[in-house]
Amino acid sequence: MNKRRLRGEKQMKIRGIIFDLDGTLLNSLPVCYSGFRSTLRKFLGREYSDTEIHALFGPSEEGVLKKLLPNQWEESLQYYLAAYDSAHTEYAKPFPGVEAALALLKERNVRLAIVSGKGAGTMAISLRHSGLGKFFEVVQTGSEHGADKPAHIKKVIDLWHYRPEDVAYIGDTAYDIQAAQAVGTAAIGAVWGNTASTQQVKAMNPELVFSSVEEFLTWIEAGFPEGKS
């Protein structure tokens, strides 16, 4: 963990935690790359690298395909969803320890949500394959018009009728930290995945950075006593 820590009274005030999905709860970025690569190969006739595909992220999959394939976006989206579903079987399990961490947070009466840039279709596939849907009362997917996580985080906070300082947002990219800080929630980096932007996350000065799920579990156990929220 980094030197800035949510401890004691401040930690105990956190009543809800919002998670990013890809690279935070699931090692699903390879699935995104694989799905887009096969779709763009079929419809555009060339091979895209992971770096090129990552540069397209921001809008949901629907938004990406509407921009790249305006006359074939519906057909290409269905192809992408099928490819994503097929590739997901290899990456279906959450990061080791994530399910235990979510279960412990639920036991400690911490409310849980997801805010992700994914579209509704791929979100449903990921939650079905991983079995994580049962933990989250709110799932906020992305927009075809571009990344807008601050607005989506705020929407969850408003649904909960909480203050921003009552909530933490956890993600694996600098943008996740920036989005949390823009809203005023506690910003927490999760850099336990091999696709995490570790240095960029730390450069944003989040309140916490966890390099392993085990550290995250220890933090939950220490700061959220049983029966408290």
Side-chain angles (χ1 to χ4, degrees):
M1 288 183 283
N2 71 347
K3 64 182 179 181
R4 301 178 66 199
R5 301 184 178 185
L6 290 171
R7 293 288 190 186
E9 183 181 351
K10 186 176 181 182
Q11 184 172 344
M12 288 303 302
K13 288 182 178 178
I14 293 178
R15 303 170 65 192
I17 297 181
I18 307 172
F19 290 83
D20 171 56
L21 185 82
D22 294 323
T24 300
L25 297 173
L26 302 176
N27 185 28
S28 42
L29 279 170
V31 188
C32 302
Y33 296 147
S34 174
F36 269 119
R37 188 159 24 253
S38 63
T39 301
L40 298 177
R41 184 192 306 123
K42 175 176 175 61
F43 288 91
L44 290 177
R46 82 170 182 88
E47 197 80 7
Y48 277 68
S49 68
D50 287 356
T51 301
E52 289 176 306
I53 293 169
H54 192 85
L56 300 172
F57 292 175
S60 64
E61 300 89 356
E62 181 178 332
V64 170
L65 294 172
K66 278 186 175 181
K67 181 177 180 180
L68 293 177
L69 295 156
N71 298 319
Q72 295 178 287
W73 74 266
E74 291 175 296
E75 181 186 357
S76 62
L77 179 61
Q78 292 308 307
Y79 185 93
Y80 174 80
L81 291 173
Y84 185 88
D85 193 4
S86 177
H88 218 309
T89 56
E90 186 179 349
Y91 296 90
K93 291 185 178 180
F95 285 109
V98 159
E99 193 162 0
L102 296 175
L104 184 57
L105 286 167
K106 293 286 281 187
E107 288 176 13
R108 304 294 166 91
N109 299 317
V110 180
R111 300 179 78 171
L112 303 178
I114 291 174
V115 166
S116 169
K118 301 177 76 63
T122 51
M123 177 62 73
I125 291 168
S126 288
L127 293 180
R128 173 168 53 82
H129 277 288
S130 67
L132 293 183
K134 62 189 177 185
F135 292 107
F136 299 98
E137 59 181 276
V138 182
V139 175
Q140 181 68 47
T141 52
S143 166
E144 67 178 85
H145 302 295
D148 197 4
K149 281 192 175 180
H152 295 159
I153 293 169
K154 187 176 185 305
K155 183 175 181 179
V156 175
I157 293 169
D158 290 344
L159 284 170
W160 283 342
H161 302 290
Y162 285 171
R163 303 169 302 165
E165 55 266 35
D166 295 329
V167 176
Y169 183 72
I170 301 181
D172 65 316
T173 69
Y175 176 60
D176 291 330
I177 304 306
Q178 186 179 41
Q181 291 169 340
V183 180
T185 68
I188 299 178
V191 297
W192 47 66
N194 59 12
T195 58
S197 306
T198 303
Q199 294 308 314
Q200 293 93 323
V201 166
K202 290 181 177 179
M204 295 299 297
N205 293 314
E207 277 81 3
L208 275 171
V209 177
F210 293 111
S211 59
S212 70
V213 182
E214 290 76 14
E215 285 184 355
F216 183 45
L217 269 165
T218 299
W219 178 74
I220 297 167
E221 290 167 348
F224 300 93
E226 190 171 357
K228 302 293 184 181
S229 64

